[in-house]
Amino acid sequence: MIDWIYFFDLCGTSVFALSGALAAGRHKMDPFGVIVLASVTAVGGGSIRDAILGTTPVFWIQDPNYIIVILATVLLTLIFVRKPKRVPRYIFPVADAFGLALFTIIGAEKALSLELGGMIAVVMGLITGVGGGIIRDLLCQQVPMVLRTEIYATASIMGGICYTISLYWGAPDMFALLFAMATALTIRLAAIRWHLSLPAFDLKTQQK
């Protein structure tokens, strides 16, 4: 029987590696830079999660398939995406949205498998979903996407909540997984399409 959680984890790794590789292409990095940025984007959030939960060595050290997936994704990106400027602008945020949805559920499931509470599962899903992207953006000397664009972290939080509540109500694992992923992905894609955002905290200081 297919281990769907593991399958989606590898898919999320590939999608986030693609996101990192595309970001590297936009910043005209060399192949080594592409590998580094793809790697930290793909495994950064999960590594932070495992360090917090104390499940060490972290997942990609225990299972080299994650590194193989990252390298294969980078290789295919370098071969088929020869002209980064010609890549449609929507590809990067859409790929990132899929990675966010996938990794949110993976992080929440990891916490629940350790018999932690639902709130911790949602937080771990959020860290797994946004951690790699934060590292990617910082290396690119940009304000992290989670802090500067349309609804992002909220999509991850809602996905984690849907996943934990679905399991609490006794829904089948596959239904909970797909429902939560669809929720997070729909919210994020809607935010991209219609530029939806939460109200900004605008603290204006009095001019002297």
Side-chain angles (χ1 to χ4, degrees):
M1 182 178 180
I2 298 176
D3 185 344
W4 287 106
I5 294 293
Y6 181 63
F7 173 76
F8 281 117
D9 199 4
L10 292 178
C11 289
T13 299
S14 180
V15 170
F16 258 161
L18 173 62
S19 171
L22 292 176
R26 292 169 61 187
H27 288 80
K28 300 180 180 179
M29 296 185 182
D30 63 20
F32 179 74
V34 176
I35 293 174
V36 170
L37 210 59
S39 298
V40 298
T41 307
V43 302
S47 298
I48 297 172
R49 175 203 65 214
D50 286 358
I52 293 174
L53 295 176
T55 55
T56 54
V58 296
F59 67 101
W60 56 271
I61 293 178
Q62 297 179 358
D63 186 352
N65 286 333
Y66 291 95
I67 302 301
I68 295 173
V69 167
I70 292 170
L71 294 177
T73 301
V74 169
L75 179 61
L76 292 174
T77 303
L78 291 174
I79 292 174
F80 293 106
V81 188
R82 304 288 303 198
K83 301 286 186 181
K85 292 183 180 180
R86 294 185 180 178
V87 176
R89 300 184 68 178
Y90 66 84
I91 293 295
F92 177 80
V94 169
D96 189 85
F98 274 92
L100 176 70
L102 288 164
F103 272 14
T104 292
I105 309 310
I106 298 302
E109 191 279 333
K110 183 68 173 285
L112 292 176
S113 70
L114 298 175
E115 300 182 351
L116 299 174
M119 184 176 295
I120 301 301
V122 173
V123 173
M124 290 300 108
L126 176 63
I127 290 174
T128 309
V130 307
I134 290 175
I135 299 173
R136 174 199 64 211
D137 292 343
L138 290 176
L139 289 177
C140 292
Q141 297 183 331
Q142 294 179 333
V143 177
M145 185 181 295
V146 67
L147 302 178
R148 62 181 167 83
T149 61
E150 306 91 349
I151 291 173
Y152 192 88
T154 305
S156 175
I157 293 171
M158 291 305 299
I161 291 174
C162 289
Y163 184 66
T164 54
I165 289 179
S166 296
L167 292 179
Y168 178 77
W169 285 347
D173 291 349
M174 181 55 66
F175 173 84
L177 188 150
L178 294 177
F179 173 61
M181 282 176 49
T183 299
L185 184 60
T186 299
I187 294 174
R188 179 62 189 132
L189 291 180
I192 294 171
R193 174 63 179 83
W194 290 291
H195 305 288
L196 305 177
S197 61
L198 297 176
F201 178 55
D202 186 7
L203 182 62
K204 296 181 179 179
T205 57
Q206 185 175 1
Q207 297 292 330
K208 292 185 179 180

